[in-house]
Amino acid sequence: MILTAADNPQVRRVVSKHGMRLGGSRFVAGETIDDAVRALRELNDKGLYANTTMLGEGVRDEGEARAVAAHYVTLVDRLADEELRANVALKLTHLGLELGEDAAYENVRAVVQRAQDRAAFIRIDMEQSPFVDATLRIYRRLRESGLDAVGTVLQAYLYRTEPDLESLLPLQPNLRLVKGAYLEAPDVAYPKKTDVDAAYVRLLETMLGGGGYTAIATHDEAIIEHAIRFATEHAIANERFEFQMLYGVRPQLQLDLAARGYKVLVATPYGPEWYPYLMRRLGERPANALFLLRNLARG
Ligand SMILES: Cc1cc2nc3c(=O)[nH]c(=O)nc-3n(C[C@H](O)[C@H](O)[C@H](O)COP(=O)(O)OP(=O)(O)OC[C@H]3O[C@@H](n4cnc5c(N)ncnc54)[C@H](O)[C@@H]3O)c2cc1C
């Protein structure tokens, strides 16, 4: 319901005006790079790793897409100059994927090249199902051109993900595994949460056993404990995986896992284009929407 409401212009107007003040700032570090740098340093000081992203998606203007890529190059430099333990995540539709695959490829290549030069790392997020093919092709193209400072994401809710993973494994990929955050039709994605969770566990085991690097991105404690047990039983070294969670979600669990010696990365976005990101976070957990509505009622 929340993901459907997100497209309603009235909802957009009200949330865009009041959302940050009413609690959205729990999920977003702020609007500028300086805000992000402050939040990333705080996370690093607590023993957590981080990644950051300038929020935005669906850019359909060539000049704007190039400007977004230039911003990301600046961001890579800034994180390296500040010696933060933080990498960068980005969305290909923010870099012009809807204008054409080549345009997005050229833009992301410039960012990944700079990351490789600065010993940094770029994660290409996964968006709605119509973008999956192009995203995986661009990821392969980057790897085939000799760039290794890049990884991408697979979504457990899509039926196609098991074969996608099998075909990526020979690249020894660095993959983030997520359940999936978008509204998808039942002909492409499991409608039932229990099926998504079961697919996540199957994919997780294949990834961990597969020889690449696995970013286990979930707040689901049962799955996290399963991953730890599986890694222990199969002698998979801690250096081969990490846990990832979202800024503002289960902060104590993040610290507890770090205290147990696991690498935990907190995905920490910033930027003025926070509306769709915030709506996806509310959609994942209706209690978050109630939290905002309660604050609205309090004025
Ligand atoms: C680091 C990271 C990167 C991601 N990147 C992508 C991506 O590229 N593409 C994509 O489609 N999706 C992405 N996602 C979102 C993901 O697909 C899920 O929508 C999201 O993680 C919620 O699912 P869950 O695995 O935490 O499990 P769930 O079963 O949904 O939740 C497990 C428990 O976690 C807590 N929880 C979950 N979400 C929230 C929330 N928003 N607020 C408060 N508590 C919550 C609740 O206690 C819940 O009971 C990403 C998620 C993370 C953590």
Side-chain angles (χ1 to χ4, degrees):
M1 236 171 67
I2 291 171
L3 291 179
T4 306
D7 290 332
N8 178 305
Q10 255 174 319
V11 172
R12 178 181 271 270
R13 213 171 30 247
V14 173
V15 177
S16 296
K17 193 152 170 226
H18 305 290
M20 286 306 257
R21 186 172 55 81
L22 296 177
S25 57
R26 189 184 130 193
F27 301 106
V28 177
E31 298 214 340
T32 65
I33 289 195
D34 288 339
D35 294 333
V37 163
R38 243 189 320 274
L40 300 177
R41 195 171 303 290
E42 271 175 33
L43 292 166
N44 282 179
D45 288 347
K46 290 181 191 164
L48 300 166
Y49 290 71
N51 78 24
T52 191
T53 194
M54 180 182 51
L55 293 169
E57 49 201 88
V59 167
R60 294 193 182 90
D61 176 89
E62 235 172 82
E64 196 184 334
R66 268 200 305 275
V68 170
H71 179 94
Y72 272 117
V73 169
T74 308
L75 177 62
V76 167
D77 282 339
R78 177 77 187 271
L79 300 181
D81 292 345
E82 299 264 357
E83 296 183 357
L84 288 162
R85 276 173 291 131
N87 57 45
V88 168
L90 49 76
K91 291 188 171 23
L92 289 179
T93 68
H94 201 193
L95 272 71
L97 184 58
E98 287 159 288
L99 293 162
E101 206 169 311
D102 286 344
Y105 173 75
E106 289 307 328
N107 285 334
V108 73
R109 200 188 54 74
V111 183
V112 175
Q113 182 66 61
R114 182 62 67 102
Q116 187 134 319
D117 295 345
R118 305 273 337 230
F121 179 79
I122 304 296
R123 169 90 52 200
I124 302 175
D125 288 343
M126 193 57 82
E127 302 177 71
Q128 293 91 329
S129 56
F131 300 118
V132 173
D133 276 325
T135 302
L136 295 181
R137 274 197 300 269
I138 288 175
Y139 169 70
R140 280 178 186 282
R141 224 170 133 185
L142 290 165
R143 293 290 311 278
E144 282 159 10
S145 79
L147 292 170
D148 293 329
V150 61
T152 189
V153 179
L154 293 181
Q155 296 156 318
Y157 63 8
L158 297 184
Y159 305 129
R160 59 172 291 167
T161 295
E162 289 182 57
D164 281 342
L165 174 59
E166 289 300 335
S167 73
L168 287 168
L169 282 179
L171 297 174
Q172 302 265 296
N174 183 324
L175 294 172
R176 173 202 288 156
L177 181 61
V178 301
K179 290 189 186 176
Y182 298 89
L183 196 58
E184 296 287 357
D187 58 330
V188 294
Y190 295 106
K192 276 175 46 198
K193 182 168 161 40
T194 47
D195 291 333
V196 178
D197 292 355
Y200 193 106
V201 170
R202 287 195 301 275
L203 290 158
L204 174 68
E205 293 182 355
T206 310
M207 262 187 209
L208 284 172
Y213 186 87
T214 305
I216 306 160
T218 182
H219 314 92
D220 186 325
E221 277 191 79
I223 289 183
I224 290 169
E225 292 305 327
H226 180 88
I228 290 172
R229 268 196 314 276
F230 184 88
T232 309
E233 282 164 10
H234 294 80
I236 294 161
N238 284 7
E239 292 70 37
R240 297 250 330 276
F241 65 93
E242 69 189 38
F243 294 103
Q244 295 193 349
M245 291 184 222
L246 300 175
Y247 185 72
V249 180
R250 308 295 312 266
Q252 191 56 47
L253 180 59
Q254 297 168 9
L255 293 171
D256 291 347
L257 282 170
R260 287 165 69 185
Y262 295 105
K263 180 172 173 183
V264 178
L265 179 147
V266 182
T268 308
Y270 69 95
E273 303 284 326
W274 45 263
Y275 178 78
Y277 179 83
L278 178 61
M279 293 309 277
R280 285 196 292 275
R281 301 297 74 86
L282 302 186
E284 279 153 8
R285 192 156 181 261
N288 290 340
L290 292 178
F291 169 69
L292 252 73
L293 287 174
R294 261 201 308 274
N295 289 344
L296 181 65
R298 281 199 200 109

